[in-house]
Amino acid sequence: MASAAEPLTIGLLGAGNVGAQVARTLVEERELISARVGTPVRLIGVAVRDVEAPRDWRIPGELLTTDAESLVDQADLVIELLGGLEPAGSLIERALRRGAAVVTGNKALLATRGGELSAVAAETGAPLHFEASVGGAIPILRPIQESLSGDRITKVMGIVNGTTNYILDQMDTTGAAFDDALTEAQRLGYAEADPTADVEGHDAAAKAAILGTLAFHAPFTIDDVHCEGITAVSAADIEAAAASGYVIKLLAIAEIFDGEGAVLRVHPTLLPRTHPLASVRGAFNAVFVVAENAGELMFYGQGAGGVPTSSAVLGDLVSAARLLRHGTTALEPSEPTETVPALPIEKARTQYYIDMEVADEEGVIAEIARVFADHHVSIEAMRQPGIVSVDGEVDTEQDNGAVLQVVTHPAQEKSLAQTVATLKALDVVRAVTSVLRVEIEQ
């Protein structure tokens, strides 16, 4: 490591949207960053796959290299913004093992090998910071690790993917179809050309694993997260939710249940429009935290984009560089300290919204209600939306059928799922067209 008289050297791995902005700041605002760290800093190289590729900011040619390993071996502090599991994982481990500080925004890697890399950091005393891995510019991980470290967090729930929030918001506010909203998100740069990781919920699931690990001081991976995306959310679901006073959001939820363990889940969720998360619009993110002493807290801000996310990276850089310069390790524990088993989603306690097409005949409501009672699931609300005919009368008949919408009271996920399975087998139920979970206000 560099002495106090020498600049602290920084190696940057990756120069995509975020990496290019980080490089720009380190070059153009070098004096400011050095002042914040308390010692001179110097960017010594940017490792890329193609030095000729166009970038958001033109990085000086002398900084560009394709030799990532050599750059890692020379730097006091390594910023990893390559994404993916490899070579990012090997390069981070290489840096940590030689005592270099590491800053990363790689949620997929952290949700897969976070525990292993934290153990290496603990062994060598090298700082490992990753604020940018969740929520873009929102400072959420450090408050959980430090500000709330003396409290007991019982639940973390958030909108942590800007792409899906933009799509669902457009469907809700403009009536756009899913495909049209996705196309617009891609045009605006909110969605990748291949949006699978976003719309199928995988990106949010990785972030749920990270949030759960930090909130509950226990090791979770993406394999512990129940994951559902938004591709099955229809315009009819959006309209029905709005008619009942709800909005649909893709939520990442980590929650402690009955002292048995934690359920981590990602899925489309109906939120009452009075819930703080319901007002999060466009590509913004927000994380809602519930703690025993602090109560309810919400963190809100820009959740994506090169410039906002670079703010989190640079904040981590300053923090890690200060620790490195003064010869101390990270303030927070590097490794999980508690045993909190990951529970299957069947252990969760939630509510269901169920949309059904049923026969329009006497006794149907009673038969359906009996199914709920048999599974010990009570009904909070039942609605039979009408269709206004040309003469202005409300007609619930549709080819001798009707639509029935039910919202349950809170119940165990296992009982709710069994209820739906039984409903699907009833002769009077022609189809269960939609099943969505409901999140009530705390």
Side-chain angles (χ1 to χ4, degrees):
M1 299 298 102
S3 70
E6 299 173 343
L8 188 147
T9 57
I10 299 170
L12 174 61
L13 309 179
N17 290 339
V18 180
Q21 291 299 327
V22 170
R24 181 193 64 78
T25 303
L26 289 174
V27 172
E28 295 183 351
E29 305 290 342
R30 178 182 172 183
E31 291 185 4
L32 173 64
I33 299 299
S34 296
R36 299 283 169 84
V37 172
T39 195
V41 300
R42 180 167 65 92
L43 179 64
I44 61 170
V46 182
V48 295
R49 293 183 180 89
D50 180 5
V51 297
E52 302 296 333
R55 296 181 173 86
D56 291 349
W57 182 73
R58 186 176 179 82
I59 299 171
E62 64 272 17
L63 290 177
L64 294 172
T65 178
T66 57
D67 191 348
E69 291 187 351
S70 293
L71 181 60
V72 166
D73 290 343
Q74 298 174 55
D76 299 321
L77 189 151
V78 173
I79 303 174
E80 184 277 311
L81 297 173
L82 295 170
L85 301 184
E86 288 296 341
S90 297
L91 291 169
I92 287 177
E93 183 174 353
R94 187 185 185 103
L96 293 173
R97 289 201 179 280
R98 54 177 296 270
V102 172
V103 172
T104 178
N106 194 331
K107 65 279 218 174
L109 178 63
L110 292 167
T112 305
R113 294 183 56 197
E116 176 188 340
L117 295 174
S118 292
V120 174
E123 177 186 338
T124 63
L128 172 62
H129 290 197
F130 44 90
E131 183 67 61
S133 63
V134 178
I138 304 172
I140 177 63
L141 302 187
R142 197 175 301 282
I144 289 176
Q145 289 175 291
E146 297 178 13
S147 303
L148 295 173
S149 60
D151 208 336
R152 184 173 293 278
I153 296 173
T154 57
K155 186 173 185 177
V156 181
M157 176 173 67
I159 297 167
V160 294
N161 183 273
T163 300
T164 52
N165 200 57
Y166 177 84
I167 291 170
L168 292 172
D169 185 49
Q170 287 294 296
M171 293 175 72
D172 177 58
T173 58
T174 71
F178 175 88
D179 289 341
D180 292 337
L182 172 57
T183 298
E184 182 65 7
Q186 290 171 322
R187 186 187 70 82
L188 293 172
Y190 297 147
E192 301 289 341
D194 179 1
T196 303
D198 295 320
V199 300
E200 295 294 349
H202 304 314
D203 176 82
K207 295 170 183 176
I210 295 169
L211 288 168
T213 294
L214 298 183
F216 307 141
H217 306 280
F220 299 106
T221 72
I222 194 169
D223 293 333
D224 297 319
V225 183
H226 174 86
C227 181
E228 300 173 26
I230 67 168
T231 54
V233 177
S234 67
D237 291 331
I238 298 287
E239 293 171 8
S244 300
Y246 294 97
V247 62
I248 299 176
K249 299 289 187 181
L250 182 73
L251 295 187
I253 303 171
E255 186 173 13
I256 295 288
F257 280 98
D258 301 325
E260 296 180 24
V263 177
L264 281 66
R265 50 195 167 105
V266 168
H267 49 69
T269 308
L270 272 72
L271 283 173
R273 289 188 181 268
T274 53
H275 193 287
L277 289 175
S279 62
V280 178
R281 303 285 302 278
F284 276 72
N285 282 193
V287 179
F288 195 76
V289 179
V290 182
E292 287 184 354
N293 297 323
E296 300 174 356
L297 306 167
M298 192 168 92
F299 302 80
Y300 168 84
Q302 295 272 8
V307 176
T309 306
S310 71
S311 171
V313 173
L314 291 162
D316 269 353
L317 182 152
V318 171
S319 177
R322 286 171 176 169
L323 293 170
L324 196 65
R325 174 54 70 199
H326 294 290
T328 58
T329 58
L331 298 177
E332 66 277 358
S334 295
E335 295 182 271
T337 57
E338 298 182 19
T339 301
V340 181
L343 302 176
I345 192 171
E346 288 77 17
K347 292 286 188 178
R349 188 170 178 81
T350 183
Q351 293 178 253
Y352 269 21
Y353 160 86
I354 306 167
D355 194 306
M356 296 172 277
E357 293 179 6
V358 302
D360 188 23
E361 58 188 52
E362 186 176 348
V364 169
I365 299 298
E367 188 170 354
I368 288 173
R370 188 161 49 249
V371 170
F372 283 88
D374 288 345
H375 291 285
H376 306 289
V377 175
S378 60
I379 295 173
E380 179 181 284
M382 183 180 291
R383 178 173 177 266
Q384 191 171 6
I387 298 175
V388 180
S389 62
V390 291
D391 59 3
E393 296 296 322
V394 175
D395 178 18
T396 58
E397 293 189 4
Q398 301 178 64
D399 298 327
N400 296 319
V403 173
L404 189 65
Q405 297 165 346
V406 176
V407 176
T408 73
H409 279 292
Q412 193 173 62
E413 172 80 18
K414 182 179 179 180
S415 298
L416 291 164
Q418 290 172 343
T419 301
V420 171
T422 304
L423 288 171
K424 289 180 177 179
L426 288 181
D427 290 339
V428 297
V429 176
R430 295 179 174 179
V432 175
T433 55
S434 182
V435 178
L436 292 167
R437 295 174 184 86
V438 181
E439 188 66 33
I440 59 175
E441 292 183 85
Q442 297 297 315

